Amino acid sequence: MTEKGMGDTLLTIGEMCAEFGVTPRTLRFYEAKELIIPRRVGTRRLYTRRCRARLKLILQGKRFGFSLEEIRQLLNLYDIGDQQKTQFSRTYALGLERLRAMEAQRSELDAAITELRQQLAWGEQILEREDLQRASA
Amino acid sequence: MTEKGMGDTLLTIGEMCAEFGVTPRTLRFYEAKELIIPRRVGTRRLYTRRCRARLKLILQGKRFGFSLEEIRQLLNLYDIGDQQKTQFSRTYALGLERLRAMEAQRSELDAAITELRQQLAWGEQILEREDLQRASA
DNA sequence: CAAAAGGGTGACGTTCGCGTCAAGTTGACG
DNA sequence: CGTCAACTTGACGCGAACGTCACCCTTTTG
């Protein structure tokens, strides 16, 4: 059940960086913060499919304005599908919180977008008028 | 046309902090970065209705993961409604960019919410099973 | 009128999220 | 076998976004 060495395409740190557009420093930093834990062959890091999924979530989280620590909490939630551990319901509750937060953020974002659209519409009108004035001058 | 001393309810720095849940340091910092420019009576700061609107936008922007510098750009856009100045179309273009960015962010957020919902549904099933096992033990 | 409350200006400290060397190791290749 | 590219671990540096502290001024209140 726990996938063995299948078509698992392990990536080196350089390959990871190329794929996600980050620096090695960033990956090592995330590792130090226990956000991504790659396998080791000797001292060399090897990133699994899971690592890639995690990094994707991390970068996504950052774009939403979450801190790395908050993202770490979120990642634990996504782990549940793979490794069901103890403290399940606690993590579950945490996930619910996050969901609420994200839904709240979305509605805020929607409102902000609407406002911005209106401002831009406002702007368009003024631009058109200025164009007319210049055309008639 | 430019509203005079109407029911403009000027607020002191303390009152602003209470209303928005920020510290005086934060407001002075934003002022140093030219995000909010309150009026002065002597040395004392007095925050207008406009200042409040701006602060609201600032805090909103932060939740969306914008930097203060990016937010400053956005604020200039919202100013256009009040003070139509030069460099209008530049700011307008900037606003369009922002709109695109925010719309992109929303669709990302939507996807993330959907994923998270699925994870939580997954979790619920496991929780229910554990409850059944405990009930039958 | 004395003292507390509230506000002001520096200026230095702190945390986060990395960037940037320095110095050593390891694997592949001509 | 050398060397060269890619990797490793520190360690220090840096900009953003404030916190904190010191010290000063004014207003108001018992």
Side-chain angles (χ1 to χ4, degrees):
Chain A
M1 282 301 166
T2 58
E3 18 72 72
K4 295 179 185 175
M6 304 221 318
D8 217 11
T9 44
L10 299 177
L11 299 185
T12 70
I13 196 169
E15 293 165 337
M16 276 290 275
C17 293
E19 188 166 337
F20 289 94
V22 297
T23 69
R25 175 70 178 109
T26 299
L27 291 182
R28 296 191 190 111
F29 182 74
Y30 290 167
E31 185 176 348
K33 292 297 179 80
E34 298 178 31
L35 291 172
I36 301 178
I37 304 112
R39 293 180 190 165
R40 295 289 185 132
V41 174
T43 65
R44 301 290 175 76
R45 294 171 171 82
L46 283 182
Y47 294 86
T48 69
R49 186 188 53 80
R50 241 177 73 84
C51 292
R52 276 165 267 158
R54 287 189 142 231
L55 181 53
K56 191 178 165 187
L57 285 170
I58 292 170
L59 299 177
Q60 200 173 88
K62 287 197 59 184
R63 265 169 271 142
F64 297 154
F66 291 114
S67 73
L68 291 186
E69 176 52 29
E70 289 172 321
I71 291 172
R72 206 176 60 77
Q73 311 283 335
L74 270 174
L75 286 176
N76 290 336
L77 178 69
Y78 284 97
D79 279 353
I80 293 173
D82 299 5
Q83 338 174 359
Q84 44 271 53
K85 285 191 175 182
T86 60
Q87 296 207 327
F88 188 99
S89 56
R90 258 204 58 169
T91 311
Y92 176 80
L94 231 161
L96 268 181
E97 268 182 54
R98 289 287 165 228
L99 181 58
R100 300 300 162 220
M102 290 173 76
E103 285 175 339
Q105 190 175 2
R106 185 180 55 176
S107 63
E108 265 191 81
L109 189 52
D110 276 339
I113 286 176
T114 302
E115 273 187 57
L116 187 47
R117 278 220 186 90
Q118 287 176 354
Q119 290 289 336
L120 288 176
W122 228 104
E124 272 175 20
Q125 289 191 357
I126 295 176
L127 274 182
E128 284 170 14
R129 284 179 201 166
E130 285 185 0
D131 284 348
L132 287 178
Q133 287 184 346
R134 286 184 187 171
S136 64
Chain B
M1 283 299 166
T2 57
E3 16 72 74
K4 296 178 185 176
M6 302 223 317
D8 217 10
T9 43
L10 299 177
L11 300 186
T12 69
I13 196 170
E15 293 165 338
M16 277 290 273
C17 293
E19 188 165 337
F20 289 94
V22 297
T23 69
R25 176 69 176 106
T26 298
L27 292 181
R28 297 191 191 111
F29 182 74
Y30 290 166
E31 185 175 349
K33 291 298 179 77
E34 297 178 31
L35 292 171
I36 302 178
I37 305 111
R39 293 180 189 164
R40 297 286 187 136
V41 174
T43 66
R44 300 291 175 78
R45 293 169 171 84
L46 283 182
Y47 294 86
T48 70
R49 187 189 54 80
R50 241 178 72 86
C51 294
R52 274 165 267 157
R54 287 190 142 230
L55 181 53
K56 192 178 166 186
L57 285 171
I58 292 170
L59 299 178
Q60 200 171 87
K62 288 198 59 183
R63 264 169 272 140
F64 297 155
F66 291 114
S67 73
L68 291 186
E69 177 52 30
E70 289 173 319
I71 291 171
R72 206 176 58 79
Q73 312 283 334
L74 269 174
L75 286 176
N76 289 337
L77 178 69
Y78 284 98
D79 279 354
I80 292 173
D82 299 7
Q83 338 175 0
Q84 45 269 53
K85 284 192 174 181
T86 62
Q87 297 207 324
F88 190 99
S89 56
R90 257 204 59 165
T91 311
Y92 177 79
L94 231 161
L96 267 181
E97 268 182 54
R98 290 283 165 233
L99 181 57
R100 299 301 163 220
M102 290 172 77
E103 285 175 337
Q105 190 173 5
R106 187 184 55 175
S107 61
E108 267 192 80
L109 190 53
D110 271 338
I113 286 177
T114 301
E115 274 187 56
L116 187 48
R117 278 220 184 90
Q118 287 175 354
Q119 289 288 339
L120 289 176
W122 228 105
E124 273 175 18
Q125 289 192 356
I126 296 177
L127 275 182
E128 284 170 13
R129 284 179 200 166
E130 285 184 0
D131 285 349
L132 288 178
Q133 287 185 341
R134 286 185 186 170
S136 64

